[in-house]
Amino acid sequence: MYVSGRRRWRRRWGGDEFVLLLPRMDHDEVERIIERIHRELALNDITVIRSSASIGYAVKYAVEENSAEFVERAEAMMYRKKATDRHKQQEQNLSAIVDLMYRDESLSIHAQKTSEFAEMFGRYLNLSEEKIQILKEASRLHDIGTIAEYTKIGAGGDATEEDKLAALRNHPVSGYQILNSFDKTMDLADIVLAHHEWWDG
């Protein structure tokens, strides 16, 4: 999203990018608008996932300024913000999902014990330390997809046994999708996807 600086003009610039033209506004006014956008986005969080946007802007003070350069300055700022915000946002979202999973004490205990058993088995197989760490972390997060599946069927007590069985069957796929969304856990996603398969496939 690019914001420039009382009639306003807005259009979609790309797949997930918008341009706002805000006549007769200086840097301070634009900064206040950006703060307001971030506040409004924070009110639209989806369960534990925070809504966010990377915003860049440029202020054009003279008519003769090159419009293309003006837009490029806003675009460059936006991409710098996106690069710096991405890692922080991912860490917050992943931590929030894991924390939500661990609110269920039985899931938390199961995850910890599974991770410990995985480490023991990895050492028995003489895996490298790097592979053991991946195995431990994948085992700790192997049931993370249950968060998405139980959200689908609702937190109330009216879910049927068939609903619960479907959630159990589908949670490896949901876990794969969650972990594949974060740079830090992409190497765990395939392991989690396969964790309900029999040893012979």
Side-chain angles (χ1 to χ4, degrees):
M1 179 184 290
Y2 321 128
V3 180
S4 77
R6 272 286 161 141
R7 194 174 68 178
R8 301 174 182 180
W9 179 83
R10 178 184 66 187
R11 71 180 294 267
R12 185 182 293 274
W13 187 256
D16 61 351
E17 297 171 359
F18 291 84
V19 174
L20 300 179
L21 294 179
L22 307 173
R24 294 185 293 280
M25 287 196 176
D26 60 19
H27 284 276
D28 291 340
E29 291 175 301
V30 174
E31 289 284 357
R32 283 195 291 272
I33 289 174
I34 291 173
E35 288 176 10
R36 194 176 78 203
I37 290 171
H38 286 310
R39 285 197 304 271
E40 291 292 328
L41 282 172
L43 298 175
N44 292 283
D45 293 348
I46 304 170
T47 60
V48 296
I49 303 299
R50 292 190 60 192
S51 302
S52 66
S54 298
I55 302 174
Y57 70 89
V59 177
K60 184 176 180 180
Y61 288 105
V63 175
E64 59 271 16
E65 283 186 65
N66 186 293
S67 295
E69 292 179 1
F70 159 73
V71 172
E72 286 175 7
R73 291 202 311 275
E75 185 177 24
M77 178 188 278
M78 183 201 69
Y79 282 118
R80 286 196 302 272
K81 288 288 293 178
K82 184 175 285 190
T84 57
D85 291 347
R86 176 181 170 83
H87 180 72
K88 179 180 178 182
Q89 190 67 45
Q90 284 198 356
E91 286 286 339
Q92 290 176 340
N93 287 340
L94 181 60
S95 294
I97 294 171
V98 173
D99 289 345
L100 182 61
M101 181 178 74
Y102 283 173
R103 289 180 191 173
D104 184 323
E105 187 177 1
S106 62
L107 271 181
S108 178
I109 294 171
H110 173 65
Q112 186 60 39
K113 288 190 175 295
T114 304
S115 182
E116 291 171 2
F117 286 135
E119 180 180 11
M120 291 168 58
F121 194 54
R123 296 197 185 283
Y124 175 79
L125 295 175
N126 291 317
L127 298 181
S128 68
E129 196 62 35
E130 180 184 2
K131 287 184 177 179
I132 288 173
Q133 293 306 313
I134 291 174
L135 186 60
K136 282 178 60 180
E137 189 65 3
S139 299
R140 186 176 75 89
L141 299 176
H142 74 279
D143 277 339
I144 198 169
T146 58
I147 299 301
E149 290 303 318
Y150 290 155
T151 299
K152 289 178 189 174
I153 64 176
D158 55 349
T160 66
E161 288 303 316
E162 186 177 341
D163 291 333
K164 293 176 182 177
L165 184 59
L168 182 66
R169 288 173 175 164
N170 293 335
H171 86 268
V173 176
S174 294
Y176 170 86
Q177 292 169 338
I178 291 170
L179 296 177
N180 210 36
S181 301
F182 302 104
D183 296 339
K184 184 178 179 180
T185 56
M186 288 181 70
D187 59 344
L188 310 178
D190 286 333
I191 301 173
V192 169
L193 177 64
H195 85 267
H196 267 211
E197 290 188 10
W198 286 17
W199 64 272
D200 59 358

